[in-house]
Amino acid sequence: MPNPTAAMLVIGDEILSGRTRDANMHYLAGEVTKVGIDLREVRVVSDDPGAIVAAVQALSAGYDHVFTSGGIGPTHDDITAENVAAAFDRPISVRDDARAILAAHYDARGQELNAARLRMARIPDGATLIDNPISAAPGFTIENVHVMAGVPSIFQAMLASVLPQLTGGAPILSQALEIRRGEGDIAGPLSDLAERYPDLSIGSYPFIRDGCYGAQIVMRGQDGARLEAAMSELAEMFPA
Amino acid sequence: MPNPTAAMLVIGDEILSGRTRDANMHYLAGEVTKVGIDLREVRVVSDDPGAIVAAVQALSAGYDHVFTSGGIGPTHDDITAENVAAAFDRPISVRDDARAILAAHYDARGQELNAARLRMARIPDGATLIDNPISAAPGFTIENVHVMAGVPSIFQAMLASVLPQLTGGAPILSQALEIRRGEGDIAGPLSDLAERYPDLSIGSYPFIRDGCYGAQIVMRGQDGARLEAAMSELAEMFPA
């Protein structure tokens, strides 16, 4: 049986103007190749409705799987979701499950779920959500198209949860913990933890918020109990 | 008047399999943006005749300029030239001017212009050559499509000679000198030279050949006399 085929669609003016260097294409190419999916084509288009709709329709019809990156954030030029919906002639609106995920995320941080952020809860009818352990706002799968974020750490986390569904592999579970300390303080204990849990993939995604350093620690693995155990240890090391 | 539009076509299985990380897209995006050309779309396709022909035809019809990278080397999987020719329904064969360039290059190095290398002299009827100051084998322009090498240093040199023709800017001249010394020996004198010729762009492209270190030094600029002067100084510093 020939390998399943895939295409990627990168969406964003910032790539085409040279302001940002795309990192997701190379990552996706490596990951799908590992699991026996042939990446056959990549297209990069601008934040233009007609270009997005045409590319989604062409690639969805031409390949078994399509992965998109970019254009699902809170700003006015993030127009991927509605144009993927349009490509499949589906309505799109704020969906309760996506809204609940965002509300919980921002509540926990004392931040407002304002209109801009609520844009990220707009999901085409019939799509299934893709988990975002880094910053909550979900991606989604509609037909054979997997719509994911452009930020590389989030793109990678979303891809990790999507790929096993396509290949019939064991699903990858993930948990995240936000630690309000600099990575220099976190690195040592985290490295010890990673050594004791070699079956888990542990990533650290630093941020600066309100002038304070912090990092989102994301753990992924196939064994939920191991994930719980490691996450509990981490939480004890760094009490809130 | 709106800016001219452009698209890029990256050709090569090695990009899609994740073996090689493409560097030319980001470079091209930055360069065309600087001169007021809008890069609107990029496609990456595999070494597949049908995919190359279809992409060349679609992009050539859709945009003012098309830049391709990859697939013009000496090996059997370098099939860009014949498929760009096919896209425009033009015959392709070894052309005398391209053969003469290659013959001079390999003669000077005591290397044979064998059948594999001669493949790189195949040029579609009616195309104009694009200078390759690094490794001689030319690119070519046919209609609005500029066919260039995938190796980043060569892609960049070819682009430097093509872009001024598109924008009406002064043409960029280039000269190259091969120095059979390690870059560590070359760097100091080269840096002095670059300071005294700030109007020239001077690049160093290292290689290892027959177990010896060397570097191809490429100079580019708009003033031929200045280029000659700098090149003569360089040749005196490093006699063959």
Side-chain angles (χ1 to χ4, degrees):
Chain A
M1 206 174 74
N3 283 348
T5 60
M8 180 182 197
L9 177 61
V10 179
I11 298 155
D13 290 348
E14 71 280 12
I15 309 285
L16 292 170
S17 71
R19 214 159 55 244
T20 302
R21 182 191 290 267
D22 166 70
N24 296 326
M25 178 171 90
H26 184 66
Y27 182 81
L28 179 83
E31 292 300 300
V32 301
T33 299
K34 274 187 227 163
V35 299
I37 295 175
D38 290 344
L39 182 63
R40 294 278 181 84
E41 183 172 350
V42 178
R43 293 193 192 180
V44 186
V45 299
S46 63
D47 301 318
D48 172 76
I52 298 171
V53 168
V56 167
Q57 289 176 340
L59 297 176
S60 171
Y63 302 96
D64 295 324
H65 307 294
V66 179
F67 304 91
T68 82
S69 79
I72 62 170
T75 62
H76 69 281
D77 56 346
D78 288 307
I79 60 171
T80 295
E82 60 258 44
N83 287 297
V84 172
F88 291 110
D89 210 10
R90 302 263 188 108
I92 182 170
S93 57
V94 169
R95 220 167 73 176
D96 289 344
D97 52 352
R99 183 210 296 262
I101 290 169
L102 291 176
H105 177 81
Y106 290 110
D107 275 0
R109 282 154 188 77
Q111 293 175 311
E112 191 200 350
L113 179 51
N114 57 22
R117 290 176 176 141
L118 202 55
R119 282 179 50 102
M120 298 189 288
R122 292 171 312 140
I123 304 290
D125 277 15
T128 58
L129 300 186
I130 300 174
D131 188 37
N132 170 358
I134 313 275
S135 60
F140 59 84
T141 294
I142 178 169
E143 306 273 343
N144 62 344
V145 178
H146 309 283
V147 176
M148 300 184 285
V151 176
S153 59
I154 306 177
F155 179 83
Q156 293 169 19
M158 288 181 168
L159 186 64
S161 75
V162 166
L163 273 188
Q165 299 170 26
L166 307 184
T167 58
I172 304 284
L173 309 169
S174 71
Q175 287 198 25
L177 183 70
E178 195 174 296
I179 299 176
R180 307 297 293 253
R181 304 272 288 275
E183 277 196 301
D185 294 334
I186 304 172
L190 198 64
S191 164
D192 293 345
L193 196 68
E195 262 183 42
R196 280 181 292 109
Y197 289 90
D199 51 324
L200 302 182
S201 141
I202 304 182
S204 170
Y205 303 99
F207 58 78
I208 301 176
R209 192 184 305 139
D210 309 330
C212 293
Y213 289 95
Q216 184 87 343
I217 309 300
V218 178
M219 297 190 187
R220 292 196 282 264
Q222 296 181 353
D223 183 333
R226 291 278 294 169
L227 207 56
E228 280 292 341
M231 207 34 116
S232 302
E233 284 196 44
L234 181 67
E236 272 171 38
M237 286 174 190
F238 297 98
Chain B
M1 205 174 74
N3 282 350
T5 62
M8 179 182 197
L9 177 61
V10 179
I11 297 156
D13 290 349
E14 71 280 12
I15 309 285
L16 293 169
S17 71
R19 215 161 54 245
T20 302
R21 181 191 292 268
D22 166 71
N24 296 328
M25 177 170 90
H26 183 66
Y27 183 80
L28 179 83
E31 292 300 299
V32 300
T33 299
K34 274 188 227 164
V35 298
I37 295 175
D38 290 344
L39 182 63
R40 293 278 179 84
E41 182 172 351
V42 177
R43 294 193 192 181
V44 187
V45 299
S46 62
D47 300 319
D48 172 77
I52 298 171
V53 168
V56 167
Q57 290 176 339
L59 297 177
S60 170
Y63 302 97
D64 295 325
H65 307 293
V66 180
F67 304 91
T68 82
S69 80
I72 61 169
T75 63
H76 69 282
D77 56 345
D78 288 307
I79 60 171
T80 295
E82 61 258 42
N83 286 297
V84 172
F88 292 110
D89 210 11
R90 300 263 189 109
I92 181 170
S93 58
V94 169
R95 219 166 74 177
D96 290 344
D97 52 353
R99 182 210 295 261
I101 290 168
L102 291 176
H105 177 81
Y106 290 110
D107 275 0
R109 282 155 189 76
Q111 293 175 310
E112 191 201 350
L113 179 51
N114 58 22
R117 289 177 176 139
L118 203 55
R119 284 180 49 110
M120 299 188 289
R122 292 171 313 140
I123 304 290
D125 277 16
T128 58
L129 300 186
I130 299 175
D131 187 38
N132 170 357
I134 312 277
S135 60
F140 59 84
T141 294
I142 179 171
E143 307 274 341
N144 62 343
V145 179
H146 310 282
V147 176
M148 300 183 286
V151 176
S153 59
I154 305 176
F155 180 84
Q156 292 169 21
M158 288 181 169
L159 186 63
S161 75
V162 166
L163 272 189
Q165 299 170 26
L166 308 183
T167 57
I172 304 284
L173 309 170
S174 71
Q175 288 198 24
L177 183 70
E178 194 173 296
I179 300 177
R180 305 297 293 252
R181 303 273 287 276
E183 277 197 301
D185 294 332
I186 304 172
L190 198 63
S191 165
D192 293 344
L193 196 68
E195 263 182 42
R196 280 181 292 111
Y197 290 89
D199 50 325
L200 302 182
S201 140
I202 303 181
S204 170
Y205 304 99
F207 59 78
I208 301 177
R209 192 185 304 139
D210 309 331
C212 294
Y213 289 94
Q216 184 87 344
I217 308 300
V218 179
M219 298 191 187
R220 291 197 283 264
Q222 296 181 352
D223 183 333
R226 291 278 293 169
L227 207 55
E228 280 292 342
M231 208 34 115
S232 301
E233 283 196 45
L234 182 67
E236 273 171 38
M237 287 175 190
F238 298 98

